Amino acid sequence: MHLTSWAQTGTVTLTGTVTDEKTGEPLPFANVYINNSSIGTTTNEKGAYVLTNLPIGSLDVAVSYLGYTPIKQTLRFEQPGRKTVLFKMRAGMELEGVVIYSKKSKKREQRLKIITRELLGAGPFGKLCKILNPDVLRISMEDDGHLMAQSTSPLKIENRALGYMIYQDLYDFDFYEGKVFYGGNTRFELLEPKNEAEKNLWRANQQKAYQGSLKQLLTSMVTDSLRENGFRVFQEIPDSLRRFNTVRSVNGLNPLKNHLHNRIEEIRGAQLVRPGELETERLVVSRTKLEVFNINKHGRSPYTDMGYAYTLITMPQGYIVISPAGWVVMPMGFEIAGDLGNDRFANLLPSDWKRE
């Protein structure tokens, strides 16, 4: 865990207990962790936990325990020091579904292949990832063609490309017409490398996964270095400020230059980022959509003269809250479509991952 950037503003120590909601009995060896990170601990035999060196600001704290419904709670720390939070867990899993396939069903195996592909991704790192306990998945096919899944206990994903064991409480998985949506709590644990060579390979692959990632994009906004890191970002101009209502394509061509200074405007990171309420927070602010190109990666885009990986970002609330290192601490429902929306567990780095 690397928390040097937080030291200047002080840190928080979080303590408390995890108990059964009805009986009040302590739950030993429950996992208490910061969602989407490798920061976590387990409760002792009395159900007590301690998490140290947490940053000031907003954090999603998650709790999981076998046979109980997982918890996720957003906590906000505005002052350093010791804080106490008690978690009460409900026995049993709340699962929804219409048709549940039996474990040995051929249909289940077919559906499981789709789920595995969509969760891990189809890239080179995906081949080095494996779901170790697919039996915990409850898979259903809805009448309207949606393939749904949930996990009865954390899904274990071994990522031997990046060197992590990922534990995913999969609340929901919905695959329909080639598009996938999934959500839940995510916990990372470092794997033990077999040797120094594997350790170095993992670190090199982590650096590759960082390049062109959402984390790098947001960090580049904070440091005002979008172009230097291979990003070009264009912001939609509000309708009321546009010179022309429509932009017509000519001879079937739709170049970006036809949209520039009318429908969209290229924007720097410094124009999007504002200080947060706390030193550990930044706001990325945009009332309109952002169109993002990764010029280090070829891909499809709406424009005939921009054959680069393309992402469309929408912020329904007009902003999101991040850390200076690109950790999304309050997503505010923001939506990502396109290249960056295709990231899967094979390429996923924990929020607390740091560049060298």
Side-chain angles (χ1 to χ4, degrees):
M1 197 189 313
H2 306 283
L3 300 171
T4 52
S5 62
W6 299 331
Q8 58 190 341
T9 52
T11 59
V12 171
T13 295
L14 187 64
T15 65
T17 56
V18 179
T19 57
D20 183 292
E21 183 182 70
K22 287 187 176 178
T23 67
E25 290 293 312
L27 299 179
F29 310 112
N31 291 297
V32 183
Y33 57 98
I34 306 304
N35 192 31
N36 295 316
S37 83
S38 62
I39 303 169
T41 188
T42 55
T43 56
N44 63 16
E45 64 278 2
K46 295 180 180 178
Y49 71 89
V50 180
L51 278 173
T52 60
N53 290 325
L54 300 181
I56 291 171
S58 297
L59 292 173
D60 281 340
V61 180
V63 186
S64 67
Y65 191 74
L66 190 60
Y68 284 72
T69 300
I71 293 173
K72 184 169 71 173
Q73 187 173 334
T74 301
L75 303 176
R76 183 165 179 80
F77 309 120
E78 297 190 352
Q79 299 291 335
R82 197 175 183 88
K83 318 289 180 183
T84 300
V85 177
L86 310 179
F87 293 103
K88 297 179 181 181
M89 302 195 76
R90 185 177 302 164
M93 297 293 296
E94 297 173 1
L95 294 175
E96 299 172 0
V98 178
V99 180
I100 305 295
Y101 296 111
S102 65
K103 289 184 180 179
K104 295 183 179 179
S105 157
K106 278 190 178 180
K107 281 190 175 179
R108 177 185 165 87
E109 291 305 312
Q110 292 167 356
R111 307 307 182 197
L112 183 58
K113 279 186 180 179
I114 295 171
I115 293 168
T116 301
R117 180 193 72 210
E118 293 300 323
L119 286 178
L120 302 185
F125 289 169
K127 296 182 178 69
L128 296 170
C129 294
K130 185 191 293 185
I131 295 176
L132 301 183
N133 59 341
D135 288 352
V136 305
L137 283 172
R138 294 295 172 262
I139 303 169
S140 65
M141 178 63 82
E142 307 295 307
D143 292 338
D144 57 7
H146 286 258
L147 175 60
M148 314 287 286
Q150 293 172 300
S151 64
T152 57
S153 62
L155 199 62
K156 294 181 185 177
I157 301 171
E158 184 183 55
N159 186 339
R160 297 208 73 85
L162 303 183
Y164 294 106
M165 183 70 79
I166 302 169
Y167 298 86
Q168 177 69 20
D169 283 308
L170 196 68
Y171 293 168
D172 56 77
F173 173 97
D174 183 351
F175 179 74
Y176 181 66
E177 295 185 343
K179 294 183 179 179
V180 66
F181 300 92
Y182 57 88
N185 300 338
T186 311
R187 177 168 64 93
F188 291 80
E189 276 186 8
L190 290 170
L191 291 174
E192 192 65 40
K194 296 172 187 172
N195 47 45
E196 193 68 20
E198 186 170 56
K199 180 182 177 182
N200 293 335
L201 177 63
W202 286 348
R203 187 63 194 176
N205 285 346
Q206 289 168 15
Q207 299 281 0
K208 283 182 188 175
Y210 175 74
Q211 295 300 318
S213 67
L214 177 66
K215 191 177 177 71
Q216 188 190 31
L217 172 67
L218 296 175
T219 304
S220 301
M221 288 180 182
V222 172
T223 56
D224 198 24
S225 56
L226 287 168
R227 281 284 193 113
E228 292 87 334
N229 288 309
F231 296 106
R232 293 187 68 183
V233 178
F234 297 83
Q235 186 179 44
E236 281 193 351
I237 298 170
D239 290 345
S240 59
L241 299 179
R242 293 183 189 176
R243 289 183 295 167
F244 309 105
N245 290 330
T246 58
V247 179
R248 290 187 177 89
S249 59
V250 181
N251 298 325
L253 299 177
N254 182 34
L256 182 128
K257 65 180 182 181
N258 285 4
H259 298 257
L260 208 54
H261 312 311
N262 173 39
R263 192 185 61 79
I264 56 175
E265 198 73 74
E266 187 161 13
I267 194 164
R268 289 175 48 197
Q271 295 170 274
L272 293 167
V273 177
R274 307 277 186 277
E277 291 182 8
L278 305 170
E279 285 185 40
T280 53
E281 295 177 336
R282 300 290 185 275
L283 306 183
V284 179
V285 180
S286 183
R287 295 288 177 188
T288 57
K289 293 177 181 177
L290 299 176
E291 299 187 29
V292 180
F293 294 91
N294 178 354
I295 59 176
N296 293 325
K297 182 179 179 183
H298 289 288
R300 296 179 64 182
S301 86
Y303 307 105
T304 49
D305 57 346
M306 290 291 280
Y308 303 110
Y310 172 84
T311 301
L312 188 65
I313 295 178
T314 309
M315 303 181 199
Q317 302 300 317
Y319 73 100
I320 60 173
V321 185
I322 66 171
S323 76
W327 179 342
V328 181
V329 292
M330 292 177 68
M332 311 300 290
F334 86 127
E335 301 162 13
I336 306 172
D339 180 61
L340 288 176
N342 294 328
D343 272 354
R344 299 291 187 265
F345 285 108
N347 291 71
L348 196 63
L349 293 167
S351 297
D352 54 311
W353 182 85
K354 292 275 192 297
R355 289 181 300 160
E356 288 178 346

